[in-house]
Amino acid sequence: MSTATAVINLDIEGPTISRHLYGHFAEHLGRCIYGGFWVGEDSPIPNEGGIRLDVVQALRDLNIPNLRWPGGCFADEYHWRDGIGPREERPRMVNTHWGDVEENNHFGTHEFMALCELLGAEPYISGNVGSGTVQEMSEWVEYLTRDGDSPMARLRRANGRDEPWRVKFWGIGNETWGCGGNMRAEYAADLSRQYATYCRDHGDNKLYRIASGASNDDYKWTETLMRQISCFGCEATPKNFFQALSVHYYTMAGPWEAKGSSTVFDTDDYYRTIAAAQKLDRVLTGHSTVMDCYDPGRTVGLVLDEWGTWWDVEPGTNPGFLFQQNTLRDALVASTHFDIFHKHAARLSMANIAQTVNVLQAMILTDGDTLVLTPSYHVFEMNKGHQDATSLAVHLRTQDARRQVGDAELDSLSASASVKDGQVLISLTNLDAEEPAEVTLDLRGGLLGEPTARLLTADQLQDHNSADTPGEVSPRPFDALKVVDGGLTVTLPPHSFLTISGLVSGRA
Ligand code: AHR
């Protein structure tokens, strides 16, 4: 068993953890939209206006803060005018990126905004730079957000929506280095400035424009965007063309060509996965460091708008649908990522799991009228108290909690903490596949009253939930907290995630 001490100063507050770090992503890909969110008004599955209500309720229970749509790679093929007006009259297209299937455009702008309203989530719309025009994007913003009398506001009203919506988060393209147009960074930076110029703030709707950014550790891309972010000649009233830039980071156990199965893996695969997940810390540090050179005041956000595990598709499913199972391993990747997000809360303004339903590291798997919550879902739920909380730094002192994996060393413990309205939430992950970990929480600067804890673990890392065994991996109360002088001691089982919460008192 490894032993560790986690020192947490309850009275030294760090940056706020934006609730948007717990954001989501829904693309027209496989069964994410169709079958996942959308079943149509005539479906026997309970729905409101075609949107399935069991999925809405499950996501409301997570306090889902935002939803990114319509892609991904699909965004740069999507023409929003095809998705408005009477559904049966909407033009169809082929979704060439994902499965080469026909897209009937039944789920479009009005349906997406209705979904966001049902969820209580902010929309994050990803505009088409790769195959769309500046005018098209500009008019979409006008259609959604302009009040009063204007061509696009009239069109919106003709389609049944009088009031403009509020839309803050606006993506300028997606993966412009790849499926979004295969551009060079310099060209993408120029296009980002051009498109952003015509994405206007209508009335008091203020856009938060997110330029399509780097893949993984491509710091050069970030540097190129940051060099081009400000308006030359606007020195009198300095302004940036975009308010944030994105980065995408997926976790795999090996190279792209050998991603491996989501459920059939060994301990070495598991540790390689965790090492890859922990690498995100270095990647975010790298991008933040570059951004600090151009924006030391940290006014520009870094948006990790795609993250998660990417495995081979489930046998027998369409390779273009990216449907994979979700095990305890995925949940531990999620908990590790959240600790990293909290650490980078000063620069990281949003993160979006790829993807919410039936695609990649999903929260929810549906099949007809059945719905299964994945182990990853439970991590989002157990951690939701961190949303909009103040981060508390955690200093881990470990003796033997590091492990060599290939050329990487990984930490077998991960932790983070926050406080909101006097409520402290501590998240601890024991990443060791076989050994328990005894952790002493050395709490300073206050006392933690009536702590309670919840544990997520399973017999095997490969365990997962299915329609037959929906609760195989689900949180349970954990009552083995030992109160010691100045803190708590807890023994985490192997491969487990624990949250501890309590009310803080006596803070300096
Ligand atoms: O999430 C699946 C795909 O991964 C997205 O469409 C694309 O942006 C990324 O490559």
Side-chain angles (χ1 to χ4, degrees):
M1 171 155 73
S2 66
T3 55
T5 302
V7 179
I8 306 176
N9 286 88
L10 298 172
D11 59 344
I12 301 181
E13 300 187 340
T16 300
I17 296 167
S18 169
R19 66 182 183 284
H20 292 295
L21 299 188
Y22 284 79
H24 286 260
F25 172 31
E27 179 164 12
H28 288 241
L29 193 179
R31 295 187 299 110
C32 184
I33 297 294
Y34 299 106
F37 282 105
W38 176 260
V39 287
E41 284 162 319
D42 300 331
S43 171
I45 297 172
N47 69 86
E48 186 165 324
I51 296 165
R52 63 185 290 172
L53 288 171
D54 53 355
V55 169
V56 166
Q57 188 54 51
L59 294 173
R60 285 184 68 93
D61 292 344
L62 294 183
N63 291 351
I64 176 175
N66 66 63
L67 185 62
R68 178 175 184 246
W69 172 84
C73 296
F74 181 78
D76 284 293
E77 288 198 305
Y78 183 65
H79 300 284
W80 68 271
R81 280 172 185 264
D82 294 347
I84 56 172
R87 279 188 208 113
E88 293 312 324
E89 293 169 23
R90 295 182 190 175
R92 290 166 178 247
M93 65 178 284
V94 178
N95 190 338
T96 52
H97 262 295
W98 303 120
D100 219 27
V101 292
E102 193 173 86
E103 160 70 51
N104 64 16
N105 277 309
H106 282 193
F107 190 90
T109 299
H110 290 250
E111 290 78 13
F112 173 66
M113 296 307 288
L115 170 62
C116 288
E117 284 173 352
L118 284 175
L119 293 170
E122 286 195 52
Y124 169 11
I125 290 187
S126 206
N128 180 346
V129 169
S131 71
T133 64
V134 177
Q135 180 181 2
E136 183 181 1
M137 194 186 292
S138 173
E139 288 181 344
W140 201 7
V141 176
E142 182 188 327
Y143 184 89
L144 281 155
T145 64
R146 191 168 175 90
D147 204 355
D149 196 30
S150 83
M152 290 303 113
R154 282 197 291 279
L155 183 59
R156 182 188 68 237
R157 289 197 186 97
N159 287 324
R161 170 80 185 195
D162 185 23
E163 293 293 309
W165 289 282
R166 308 284 297 194
V167 179
K168 179 177 176 187
F169 302 117
W170 195 274
I172 314 284
N174 171 75
E175 296 192 352
T176 40
W177 43 263
C179 65
N182 289 309
M183 301 171 199
R184 295 172 305 111
E186 292 76 10
Y187 182 63
D190 282 341
L191 278 192
S192 302
R193 291 162 60 105
Q194 184 188 359
Y195 277 72
T197 302
Y198 298 96
C199 290
R200 307 289 191 193
D201 289 338
H202 293 283
D204 59 0
N205 188 78
K206 298 272 175 284
L207 292 179
Y208 185 81
R209 300 167 190 78
I210 302 163
S212 163
S215 172
N216 297 331
D217 54 3
D218 185 353
Y219 308 124
K220 182 84 181 19
W221 191 282
T222 294
E223 206 217 342
T224 307
L225 282 184
M226 287 305 291
R227 254 193 288 125
Q228 299 297 333
I229 196 170
S230 22
C231 169
F232 307 121
C234 301
E235 284 78 10
T237 46
K239 75 165 201 179
N240 288 336
F241 287 106
F242 31 90
Q243 286 67 52
L245 43 95
S246 67
V247 56
H248 289 178
Y249 185 85
Y250 283 98
T251 296
M252 296 165 209
W256 178 256
E257 311 71 47
K259 293 188 283 296
S261 158
S262 64
T263 52
V264 183
F265 56 89
D266 62 21
T267 309
D268 286 341
D269 296 326
Y270 164 71
Y271 281 125
R272 274 200 304 278
T273 307
I274 297 303
Q278 290 184 350
K279 186 183 166 205
L280 176 67
D281 186 18
R282 295 203 298 281
V283 168
L284 293 182
T285 301
H287 290 292
S288 300
T289 305
V290 171
M291 293 174 79
D292 285 348
C293 299
Y294 295 88
D295 174 42
R298 296 188 173 166
T299 58
V300 180
L302 182 61
V303 169
L304 178 68
D305 54 15
E306 289 186 28
W307 69 271
T309 53
W310 195 322
W311 310 121
D312 294 343
V313 298
E314 282 300 293
T317 64
N318 186 327
F321 281 12
L322 308 189
F323 178 73
Q324 64 190 41
Q325 249 301 347
N326 191 298
T327 67
L328 182 64
R329 172 176 65 165
D330 298 85
L332 301 184
V333 169
S335 64
T336 304
H337 269 48
F338 284 130
D339 293 336
I340 296 169
F341 296 174
H342 300 163
K343 185 172 158 191
H344 288 271
R347 177 66 83 179
L348 197 65
S349 57
M350 189 192 287
N352 306 75
I353 181 77
Q355 297 189 8
T356 314
V357 192
N358 293 334
V359 169
L360 297 178
Q361 192 177 350
M363 304 290 102
I364 295 171
L365 304 178
T366 66
D367 184 8
D369 63 354
T370 64
L371 174 149
V372 170
L373 303 178
T374 65
S376 299
Y377 174 96
H378 294 304
V379 174
F380 275 68
E381 191 276 321
M382 291 167 73
N383 254 7
K384 69 182 176 187
H386 289 302
Q387 293 188 21
D388 286 337
T390 303
S391 57
L392 299 170
V394 180
H395 300 280
L396 274 177
R397 280 205 298 258
T398 53
Q399 274 156 10
D400 43 8
R402 289 179 76 75
R403 179 181 296 266
Q404 191 71 30
V405 180
D407 56 2
E409 229 191 6
L410 68 84
D411 297 312
S412 64
L413 261 184
S414 180
S416 63
S418 71
V419 60
K420 183 166 69 178
D421 302 329
Q423 188 78 30
V424 171
L425 179 60
I426 299 167
S427 300
L428 291 171
T429 307
N430 178 14
L431 293 160
D432 197 298
E434 277 127 21
E435 294 294 322
E438 186 187 76
V439 183
T440 298
L441 298 174
D442 179 353
L443 304 176
R444 302 179 183 181
L447 298 170
L448 196 64
E450 296 177 24
T452 57
R454 294 167 77 203
L455 180 74
L456 185 74
T457 189
D459 289 345
Q460 306 291 328
L461 279 158
Q462 294 78 3
D463 286 350
H464 54 274
N465 298 331
S466 67
D468 294 333
T469 54
E472 179 91 0
V473 188
S474 54
R476 57 175 194 259
F478 179 84
D479 55 12
L481 294 177
K482 279 189 236 139
V483 179
V484 293
D485 190 24
L488 298 167
T489 295
V490 59
T491 301
L492 280 88
H495 53 255
S496 66
F497 173 59
L498 184 81
T499 53
I500 303 170
S501 54
L503 273 179
V504 66
S505 62
R507 295 169 91 199

